[in-house]
Amino acid sequence: MSPLVKFFIVLLLSFPVLAQSYQFKLEGSFSAQKDTEIPVTVNYTIDWNETSSTIQGVYKDNFYAQKGPQVVSGTVTTNGRTFNTILPEEMEGVKSIVINMQAAGIVSGTVPVTLRAQDNLGTVIELANNPGIMMATDRGNPQTGNCVIGFGALTGYCGLYAGSFNEVSDNASRCDISSSGQARIELATNTEFHLYSNYINAINNEFTTIGTFLPSPQSNNVSITGRECGSIPGTTFITGNCKTLNLSGVFYDQADNITFTGTLSMNDEVTGETCSYSLALTREVVY
């Protein structure tokens, strides 16, 4: 068989795994030792679908898999899940990554995780026991058990929202939450709205609480006003000056695809410095 034919067979087999949507997500981090350098923090994400016994999905991180998503396979047991990723080439002596998650069934929240980075002979190069965060992401079957009481018309809308953060005004050049491309708005299961200016994963993040909404049984509109007197990541507002934050807009449910359109503003109550953004967001993670 020619190398070209082999390439197309691999492409056809791999593309469905890398392109489809997934039921579940696991996010976490661990420390990796580079030669003659200080350790680096590896932030990883696994997106996968599963049957009663098997796992198929993709593994991504910012170090070992920095060339792109890698195919992950694994098994489901009554004790948890095992994820196996074989890297296309060795990176810092690591050829495969095995992650054991000690959590069975559908879980939303922190889970125990053991990670082994191995060489091509199976020798363990890195070993970590750090918790991860598991989330259900299947839009067709959202897990709404933690997002019912106290949410009114927004029942089942909890999650992480990503998309367009367009700057409308910034009268003192204090705000820069959109340049990273990783800004997020979160509707948490405690009815709080959070702002992430540079979302990395579910564990390593700084967020600002915008405020808590008052539920309506009929309206998908929100107008939340909160106050932050410390620092706000992604801005250079003066720490110690209290800032007023406002999030206003409306949620839409289009065939289980939840979106949010609105505005976000921040105002320094002492200096009068202010900035605002227009938002067009889609839920990317379901809580």
Side-chain angles (χ1 to χ4, degrees):
M1 185 182 296
S2 72
L4 182 61
V5 173
K6 289 181 179 179
F7 169 78
F8 279 113
I9 290 176
V10 171
L11 181 63
L12 290 172
L13 289 174
S14 300
F15 181 78
V17 175
L18 299 177
Q20 63 182 289
S21 60
Y22 296 98
Q23 296 170 288
F24 306 107
K25 178 188 291 287
L26 175 68
E27 294 183 341
S29 64
F30 62 97
S31 179
Q33 182 69 51
K34 295 180 66 177
D35 292 341
T36 69
E37 296 184 24
I38 62 174
V40 298
T41 299
V42 181
N43 299 305
Y44 68 86
T45 301
I46 300 175
D47 295 282
W48 80 95
N49 293 323
E50 65 181 49
T51 66
S52 59
S53 59
T54 62
I55 286 171
Q56 185 180 55
V58 293
Y59 171 91
K60 294 175 283 187
D61 72 30
N62 61 326
F63 186 62
Y64 292 116
Q66 56 186 282
K67 291 186 178 180
Q70 302 299 317
V71 174
V72 63
S73 60
T75 56
V76 180
T77 70
T78 56
N79 296 320
R81 299 165 171 89
T82 299
F83 305 89
N84 300 288
T85 302
I86 299 176
L87 303 174
E89 57 188 41
E90 279 197 7
M91 175 70 173
E92 299 291 334
V94 171
K95 180 62 176 175
S96 64
I97 297 173
V98 179
I99 295 177
N100 291 303
M101 182 174 70
Q102 292 85 52
I106 298 174
V107 179
S108 180
T110 303
V111 293
V113 171
T114 299
L115 182 145
R116 303 193 311 275
Q118 305 173 157
D119 65 13
N120 60 350
L121 298 177
T123 303
V124 176
I125 306 298
E126 304 284 352
L127 177 65
N129 291 282
N130 296 337
I133 300 291
M134 179 179 170
M135 294 161 279
T137 60
D138 182 5
R139 301 184 194 279
N141 296 285
Q143 305 302 313
T144 60
N146 294 323
C147 192
V148 177
I149 299 174
F151 285 87
L154 300 188
T155 294
Y157 285 24
C158 296
L160 201 63
Y161 290 76
S164 174
F165 286 72
N166 289 323
E167 186 177 279
V168 176
S169 65
D170 188 359
N171 65 2
S173 299
R174 288 292 192 182
C175 299
D176 189 24
I177 66 171
S178 59
S179 64
S180 71
Q182 298 298 319
R184 302 288 192 274
I185 293 291
E186 177 183 55
L187 173 53
T189 56
N190 63 354
T191 72
E192 287 183 350
F193 278 88
H194 300 150
L195 167 65
Y196 295 86
S197 63
N198 186 21
Y199 184 85
I200 300 173
N201 60 37
I203 296 177
N204 296 313
N205 283 294
E206 289 184 293
F207 67 82
T208 300
T209 299
I210 301 170
T212 300
F213 79 100
L214 296 176
S216 165
Q218 296 179 326
S219 176
N220 286 5
N221 291 275
V222 295
S223 181
I224 303 103
T225 299
R227 204 168 187 234
E228 174 57 62
C229 297
S231 62
I232 299 178
T235 77
T236 58
F237 285 120
I238 298 172
T239 300
N241 286 2
C242 292
K243 280 75 65 176
T244 301
L245 298 91
N246 179 264
L247 178 70
S248 299
V250 60
F251 286 88
Y252 298 95
D253 184 354
Q254 301 172 325
D256 292 317
N257 186 34
I258 310 300
T259 62
F260 175 79
T261 302
T263 59
L264 170 69
S265 65
M266 292 173 275
N267 177 64
D268 188 311
E269 298 173 5
V270 178
T271 65
E273 296 167 340
T274 184
C275 63
S276 64
Y277 290 82
S278 65
L279 312 179
L281 311 177
T282 300
R283 185 168 64 173
E284 66 173 1
V285 175
V286 180
Y287 291 175

